[in-house]
Amino acid sequence: MRPGLVFVLVCLSVFLLEFAECQKDANTKSKKQNAGGKVKLTNKKPKSKPKVKKVAAKKLARISIMTQLLQQGRFQKPSDTLVIAAGENLLLRCKGKHISWAYPSYLDEENDDGRFSKMTADSGINHRGRFSQLTVANSTGADTGEYSCWALDCDAETCRRDDSKTGSTYVFFTDPRELFVPANDYYMAIQLRTDRPTRLPCQVTNPLAKVSLHREYPPELIPEDGKLITFDVKKGFVIHKALPLFGGTLYCVASYQGLRQSSTKYLLIFTYYPSARPAATIEASSSSVHAGVNFNLTCTVLGETNIDVDFTWEFPGQQLGRPTYTVESQQSVYAGGQAVQSSQSVLLVDEARPIDDGLYTCTAQNQQGATSVSTRVNVLPRTGPGRQ
Ligand SMILES: *[C@@H]1O[C@H](CO)[C@@H](O)[C@H](O)[C@H]1NC(C)=O
Ligand SMILES: *[C@@H]1O[C@H](CO)[C@@H](O)[C@H](O)[C@H]1NC(C)=O
């Protein structure tokens, strides 16, 4: 009845369980969870050994709890994909006392279009004791997307997700005038990161529409090759390997029965992104120096090319304002037959003093995180004048 009753669970143990299952069951359905209220979890499940889990997962039969109301008033398990003409109603039910739902987030938006946010509308979630019902009345192409539900196991205080009882279907609401699911923005900036695939949503309202990917300038078709670039009618285009040549403004074109439309424009910004934190090493020119002698420390990171590394230093004389200098450099080197980037910071200490004695720490940082390495330098008493 009220959208406020929708339980949205975000809890760690559920994620863990889900993750473990997901690896076993390729058919696991959407993991979409709306961000929202948190439910406190007092009863954390103890970690079980993977072996035990495997057996448990095999026994755990997945029960589909979702049904769809058909025209004759019958309820039937929905197929993975439903195609419904825009304007018609969708009614899904999920069996269970406590049910949580996920659906296109746009339905919750607090504007005229977000029909789930208004209590008066015919659309929304309705909990009715032994089942929960989701209704999308007077549908539009914008309602296209994944609809899923899952049962919750609740005690007096908390609820947890029961992954054996779920249901999910992807619904296309075909709109003869709108081949693309309307987007909020005319232009969307997306980072084309070197460390992961990039997705251009290009969501269509009709699974039969032919969709292609295009560059704005110079105008050209970017072919879907099934490897570097793939298309899935539910996910859109995925660029699996970020290359600088894919940067720029791209858009999708959908065509169906003589209608041809362009999607939102995607501004792809090519970004080198490290795949891991930097691995740093530190070396002192000498681990013990006599007072008055110059010494230095070298912090080195061998890593991916084109990744900037920031160095910071902590050292004994720092608080006392001991003047020191750093010299930073970057160069390409070959390691293991591969070009890698060597980034270095050298901390120079002139004329060692007793306050320079102690621990020197270098912290190397990139976008994935930081690592610190330390080494100790002993400052020995000044040598006699006879030395020089
Ligand atoms: C929604 O659909 C119902 C019939 O199912 C119709 O009576 C009503 O006018 C429609 N509302 C809008 C806003 O189109
Ligand atoms: C660091 O110290 C060593 C040994 O004194 C010296 O050979 C080297 O040139 C120094 N490095 C820099 C960058 O000054």
Side-chain angles (χ1 to χ4, degrees):
M1 206 147 293
R2 283 182 288 135
L5 282 178
V6 184
F7 286 107
V8 183
L9 274 195
V10 183
C11 64
L12 185 63
S13 83
V14 165
F15 276 148
L16 287 175
L17 190 68
E18 192 176 283
F19 183 66
E21 294 220 2
C22 165
Q23 292 186 316
K24 264 162 228 127
D25 186 352
N27 293 325
T28 303
K29 291 291 162 17
S30 163
K31 299 297 171 334
K32 224 189 274 174
Q33 303 212 344
N34 292 355
K38 285 188 183 172
V39 176
K40 209 172 87 192
L41 193 80
T42 48
N43 209 2
K44 272 194 186 163
K45 205 179 166 161
K47 262 194 190 172
S48 51
K49 284 174 191 151
K51 237 183 187 167
V52 177
K53 253 189 194 162
K54 202 168 189 176
V55 174
K58 277 238 170 90
K59 273 191 190 165
L60 199 83
R62 238 159 236 284
I63 303 166
S64 173
I65 56 170
M66 183 184 275
T67 54
Q68 177 202 2
L69 175 64
L70 302 179
Q71 254 154 15
Q72 312 80 10
R74 269 191 317 126
F75 279 89
Q76 196 180 59
K77 179 180 183 296
S79 48
D80 283 353
T81 305
L82 296 177
V83 181
I84 295 176
E88 291 187 8
N89 298 348
L90 169 72
L91 193 151
L92 298 171
R93 266 188 191 177
C94 290
K95 247 191 318 190
K97 251 174 101 176
H98 303 281
I99 297 290
S100 194
W101 292 88
Y103 41 79
S105 59
Y106 135 96
L107 284 164
D108 272 335
E109 278 172 18
E110 305 235 335
N111 57 30
D112 290 348
D113 297 333
R115 278 160 298 145
F116 280 23
S117 65
K118 280 183 290 178
M119 317 250 291
T120 51
D122 304 331
S123 298
I125 309 278
N126 209 327
H127 292 289
R128 295 200 179 159
R130 288 174 48 206
F131 63 86
S132 174
Q133 188 163 295
L134 177 149
T135 314
V136 179
N138 305 76
S139 64
T140 71
D143 302 326
T144 297
E146 176 105 14
Y147 290 78
S148 56
C149 67
W150 55 92
L152 300 173
D153 254 346
C154 296
D155 58 26
E157 279 188 24
T158 61
C159 289
R160 71 167 74 201
R161 184 173 172 153
D162 179 351
D163 272 312
S164 66
K165 295 177 188 151
T166 62
S168 162
T169 183
Y170 191 100
V171 188
F172 292 95
F173 289 98
T174 57
D175 182 336
R177 284 156 321 214
E178 292 278 359
L179 293 178
F180 284 106
V181 174
N184 283 337
D185 303 306
Y186 174 69
Y187 228 84
M188 201 172 147
I190 298 181
Q191 274 196 346
L192 185 61
R193 276 168 53 163
T194 52
D195 67 326
R196 64 179 187 198
T198 303
R199 190 166 81 93
L200 310 183
C202 296
Q203 251 188 312
V204 280
T205 60
N206 189 329
L208 298 176
K210 258 182 75 89
V211 189
S212 51
L213 182 62
H214 300 257
R215 173 178 299 286
E216 185 171 50
Y217 189 83
E220 62 176 351
L221 175 83
I222 300 181
E224 177 210 351
D225 62 3
K227 254 175 116 179
L228 208 55
I229 297 182
T230 57
F231 178 74
D232 177 314
V233 77
K234 296 178 190 173
K235 293 199 187 91
F237 281 96
V238 175
I239 299 175
H240 293 270
K241 188 172 164 53
L243 298 172
L245 67 97
F246 294 134
T249 303
L250 307 188
Y251 61 95
C252 300
V253 170
S255 40
Y256 181 67
Q257 291 187 340
L259 189 62
R260 191 179 148 91
Q261 290 179 337
S262 297
S263 71
T264 291
K265 288 181 179 167
Y266 301 101
L267 176 62
L268 297 190
I269 303 155
F270 181 79
T271 319
Y272 283 108
Y273 210 92
S275 57
R277 292 186 301 167
T281 54
I282 189 170
E283 197 180 8
S285 56
S286 174
S287 60
S288 56
V289 294
H290 288 282
V293 174
N294 297 350
F295 69 96
N296 60 55
L297 295 108
T298 305
C299 188
T300 307
V301 170
L302 283 183
E304 296 148 89
T305 50
N306 297 302
I307 300 294
D308 282 332
V309 181
D310 281 332
F311 292 99
T312 47
W313 289 91
E314 281 171 64
F315 49 91
Q318 199 163 26
Q319 302 301 339
L320 297 158
R322 179 77 163 102
T324 47
Y325 315 91
T326 53
V327 178
E328 293 189 3
S329 62
Q330 258 187 8
Q331 64 183 94
S332 277
V333 296
Y334 274 84
Q338 238 190 327
V340 296
Q341 177 176 289
S342 166
S343 308
Q344 276 193 336
S345 174
V346 182
L347 179 76
L348 302 163
V349 184
D350 283 347
E351 297 177 7
R353 297 184 200 167
I355 58 158
D356 297 325
D357 183 281
L359 195 66
Y360 287 75
T361 301
C362 160
T363 300
Q365 179 157 22
N366 66 19
Q367 286 132 307
Q368 291 280 13
T371 34
S372 294
V373 282
S374 304
T375 191
R376 188 167 286 282
V377 176
N378 289 319
V379 178
L380 307 172
R382 212 172 263 274
T383 46
R387 195 184 162 222
Q388 270 156 358

